[in-house]
Amino acid sequence: MRFKSLALQVLQQILFYAVLFWLVVSAVRAGMLFYQGQKRLAEIPGTVNALYMPLLAQSVWDVELPTIQQELASISAINGVEAVTLETRLGQRLHYRSPHASGGHHNIYRLDVRLNRNGAESLGTLTLYVSNTPVQREIASDLITSMAQRTLDFMALALLIIFILRRRFIMPVQQLAQAARAFVPGEPAPPFRLQYQTELEDEMTQLLASFNAMRSSINTHLAERERYETALKEARDELANRVEERTARLDQLLSFQQLISAISSRFINIPLDEVDEAMDGALAQIGTFMEVDRCYLIGVDHLQVVSMVHEWQADGVAAGVEGLGFAPLSDRPALFATLLREGVLNIPHCRQIPIAAQESTPSDIESLLMIRIDHLDQPVGVFGCDMVRRARQWRDEELVLVRLMGDMFANMIIRRQQLHALSETQQQLEEANAHLARMALSDSLTGLANRRHFDEEKRQAFDKARRKNEPFALIMLDIDFFKEYNDRLGHQAGDQCLRQLAALLTSFFTYPGELPARIGGEEFAVLLPGLDHLEVRKRAEALRMAVWALNLAHPGSRIADRITISLGTAAIDAERHSSIDQMIADADAALYRAKASGRNCTG
């Protein structure tokens, strides 16, 4: 940091404010002088009217040019008047300019020249050119004079201020600063003294007394600080040991949190067939991290029946909970009952527990830690850790870690149960969807394809036959006098008749692609891919004879004593049939001809 004398700083501040004060005073004085000068200039026209105008008007009347010139010179000699111009009514124009004219800005005044001020005729016009230059010169002269005077005053004041500041302030402060720099903490130092004598107490003497008091306090403080530093060093060493131990525990907790986070992430969108393998892997990671000989996870349902058992063992350690079977935990040994009741079992020395509990504990376990896993305040499982090769006193932070794992294990168990339930629900849903699909495409009474299914299949079969240029045919059939059958025997008998005919159609048309369907009340149709015109008529006749062979009594028939059918056939013809609807129209026409021919025949 750059050094600058305090006396010089004080002097600069004093001079700055003194100059500022002088500038303000000078500005006020200049303003007053300007105002007075302007007032004086404004009085010039009145002065000319009062003093010079009578004589000038008389001279103009008498046309005495020398006198006029003399009067104009007298007027221009007035301070501030730079020039005068006289224009008479006779057209004469006289101009006189002051030898001291500056040529700056002018204020122009025009005065009438009259012999008598009370209405006499004007003899001409006198024009005055008044300048501000004299006023400005007066202000400048005053400011220069004031500046010179103030400069001398400031110089004298500055020398006096420097002398007093150096004697009474700067030298004592320098002495105190030199003594402070020479002071070494912890070493004896003589009291500070000033090199000038004074009989009065002032700020310097108070500052000296403060320095001496501070010196004594510092020495006392240093002695106390040395004692404190010794105690602080011992406390710091102890704190370092605690920090190191705490850091190790925090690192372990961080590693555990990362482990739990990684395990939890694996179970977010895991499929059902990978859940058990993931649980085995999670137990292996947890058992290795906690350095136990064996750990296990048991899941239970809402009736506390064991539904899942997973176990991990270190190398050389036998299984401990395998083979629990599916039974309520309440029927298990006393340890499980105690766990369900209290939530935690912490047994550092299994051989010292009561015999009743010892009997329910495998003989190879030295230490045991188990927790109850809850979800929505209901037990959903058990997690346990066994020490086989040595006893172990579980630390508090280890108990905290195990409790923290409870939520994760609960989520794992619930996730597994949900996936199982979801799988069962999906299977049931698929079966229901298949059943609904069958119901949507089949006739509810006969079980044959319904009209919707028939319409979907007929177009696909027709388009395929045309595309591959393959044979394709269809049969339209109707039960003869079926209305009379219903009227005589009732609708239940009619439904039974339809079911029997449907069973016959199902057993009769069994080749791939053949589709019998019920398309109306007693109307049926059959799609027959691969058959030409002759083959479809043979199949139709064979079907008619099979219906005749059923020998279903029909008391209302007018052509036979049993159920008979009329059939119409059509085979695809590339020249006539551009759509399946045209084929169906041909088959309907053939069916109509069969009915017109007396029924129980093929058209």
Side-chain angles (χ1 to χ4, degrees), residues 458-459 462 466 474 570-571 573-589:
K458 70 182 182 182
R459 299 184 187 281
F462 178 82
R466 279 181 58 87
L474 61 86
D573 186 346
E575 296 181 356
R576 297 184 65 249
H577 300 146
S578 61
S579 68
I580 185 64
D581 293 333
Q582 292 176 343
M583 279 189 66
I584 292 177
D586 286 351
D588 279 336

Side-chain angles (χ1 to χ4, degrees), residues 331-525:
D331 296 341
R332 297 296 173 182
L335 282 181
F336 288 103
T338 304
L339 175 64
L340 292 176
R341 183 177 63 254
E342 299 182 359
V344 178
L345 275 180
N346 180 9
I347 307 176
H349 300 284
C350 291
R351 301 185 185 279
Q352 298 178 6
I353 62 177
I355 297 178
Q358 196 173 39
E359 290 177 352
S360 62
T361 305
S363 59
D364 63 340
I365 297 179
E366 296 290 339
S367 301
L368 173 68
L369 177 62
M370 298 174 64
I371 63 167
R372 184 188 66 212
I373 302 173
D374 294 338
H375 179 72
L376 301 178
D377 298 329
Q378 294 295 326
V380 295
V382 174
F383 172 73
C385 297
D386 296 341
M387 295 300 298
V388 177
R389 290 173 285 202
R390 63 179 178 86
R392 179 170 178 173
Q393 184 72 39
W394 306 97
R395 300 193 305 270
D396 292 340
E397 56 267 25
E398 291 176 330
L399 296 176
V400 173
L401 295 181
V402 173
R403 289 190 180 95
L404 289 176
M405 285 189 289
D407 292 337
M408 181 193 70
F409 288 135
N411 291 332
M412 291 169 60
I413 294 172
I414 296 301
R415 175 66 174 169
R416 185 178 184 275
Q417 293 176 354
Q418 290 174 345
L419 289 175
H420 274 289
L422 179 60
S423 177
E424 294 176 357
T425 302
Q426 288 177 340
Q427 183 177 358
Q428 295 174 0
L429 183 59
E430 290 175 357
E431 294 176 355
N433 287 336
H435 179 67
L436 288 175
R438 290 192 299 269
M439 291 179 62
L441 298 177
S442 62
D443 180 61
S444 59
L445 176 63
T446 63
L448 295 177
N450 58 14
R451 182 59 180 262
R452 175 185 174 187
H453 190 190
F454 175 77
D455 290 340
E456 293 176 355
E457 292 295 329
K458 70 182 182 182
R459 299 184 187 281
Q460 295 179 8
F462 178 82
D463 293 341
K464 180 180 178 182
R466 279 181 58 87
R467 186 171 63 253
K468 293 186 177 182
N469 195 23
E470 294 177 349
F472 175 69
L474 61 86
I475 299 174
M476 305 292 290
L477 61 101
D478 194 356
I479 300 175
D480 296 328
F481 304 111
F482 189 69
K483 181 178 183 302
E484 289 79 357
Y485 186 89
N486 279 333
D487 292 341
R488 289 288 190 93
L489 302 179
H491 288 286
Q492 290 185 354
D495 291 344
Q496 180 62 27
C497 176
L498 291 174
R499 281 194 287 266
Q500 289 178 298
L501 179 58
L504 175 62
L505 292 174
T506 302
S507 63
F508 196 83
F509 297 101
T510 59
Y511 291 106
E514 295 183 343
L515 179 69
R518 182 188 180 196
I519 60 175
E522 69 276 10
E523 298 176 1
F524 296 85

